[in-house]
């Protein structure tokens, strides 16, 4: 059996009055993400982890933010396309692990629905989809509520 590991990282700035999408679900929040797409920074980091495992570049390369095709797009569609690339290569996803650094709002009540939303897109069980959230104890740009930072890891195999 052959294994590959991938990791991804993304940051989006926060602004008042914009929608906040994270891991494919809408989060009730006064602030949301400034972005060309729907701004789902967690899905973007996850796409980069999968693309990293495939050594196929990054999400900005695949879906350029200069293209109108991706303007305001639901990031779940981007993830579906990346998962298609995984499967096309004969790979299966073993698991994913996502860490979201956000000062506010608290994400704990949303974690299960995030995992349940991502699992069918990834073609794996909810038990293989980990989503964790942390604040940064008010330190740095996350702590100042200027943005959100996400790390994602995955293992794929064939
Ligand atoms: Mg992004």
């Amino acid at each position: 059996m052959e294994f590959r590991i991938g990791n991804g990282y993304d940051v989006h700035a926060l602004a008042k009055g914009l929608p906040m999408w994270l891991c494919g679900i809408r989060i009730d929040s006064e602030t949301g993400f400034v972005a060309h797409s729907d701004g789902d920074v967690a899905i973007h980091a996850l796409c980069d982890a999968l693309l990293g495992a495939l050594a196929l570049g990054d999400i900005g390369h695949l879906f350029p933010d200069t293209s109108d095709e991706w303007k305001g797009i639901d990031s779940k569609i981007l993830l579906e396309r990346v998962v298609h690339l995984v499967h096309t290569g004969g790979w299966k996803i073993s698991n994913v692990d996502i860490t979201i650094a956000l000062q506010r709002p608290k994400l704990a009540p949303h974690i299960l629905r995030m995992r349940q939303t991502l699992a069918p897109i990834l073609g794996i069980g909810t038990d293989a989809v980990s989503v964790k959230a942390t604040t940064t104890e008010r330190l740095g740009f996350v702590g100042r509520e200027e943005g959100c930072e996400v790390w994602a890891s995955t293992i794929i195999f064939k």
Side-chain angles (χ1 to χ4, degrees):
M1 203 178 275
E2 196 180 344
F3 294 91
R4 296 273 187 91
I5 192 166
N7 70 81
Y9 171 75
D10 199 17
V11 171
H12 280 204
L14 284 164
K16 275 212 158 54
L18 292 175
M20 179 180 284
W21 286 90
L22 277 173
C23 293
I25 67 169
R26 177 80 187 263
I27 307 289
D28 192 24
S29 169
E30 286 166 21
T31 56
F33 299 122
V34 180
H36 185 73
S37 66
D38 67 2
D40 194 325
V41 58
I43 285 190
H44 296 178
L46 178 56
C47 285
D48 267 2
L50 293 164
L51 290 169
L54 295 169
L56 282 179
D58 59 52
I59 190 173
H61 174 77
L62 222 60
F63 312 111
D65 64 7
T66 47
S67 164
D68 273 353
E69 194 182 351
W70 314 118
K71 200 166 166 35
I73 196 169
D74 181 342
S75 292
K76 291 190 284 297
I77 294 168
L78 306 182
L79 181 59
E80 276 166 13
R81 296 214 179 188
V82 170
V83 170
H84 181 70
L85 288 175
V86 173
H87 294 157
T88 301
W91 299 93
K92 282 185 174 168
I93 298 165
S94 168
N95 71 304
V96 304
D97 184 20
I98 298 168
T99 303
I100 304 169
L102 184 70
Q103 191 63 42
R104 213 163 44 108
K106 284 270 180 276
L107 297 178
H110 306 292
I111 296 289
L112 180 60
R113 199 153 66 86
M114 289 175 171
R115 296 171 62 211
Q116 289 170 338
T117 300
L118 294 178
I121 303 172
L122 296 166
I124 57 180
T126 307
D127 62 341
V129 179
S130 161
V131 178
K132 312 186 299 294
T134 183
T135 70
T136 59
E137 303 289 344
R138 302 226 154 262
L139 294 168
F141 69 86
V142 170
R144 291 190 298 270
E145 300 183 29
E146 294 168 2
C148 175
E149 207 171 14
V150 180
W151 295 263
S153 303
T154 188
I155 284 181
I156 61 173
F157 67 96
K158 67 175 164 188

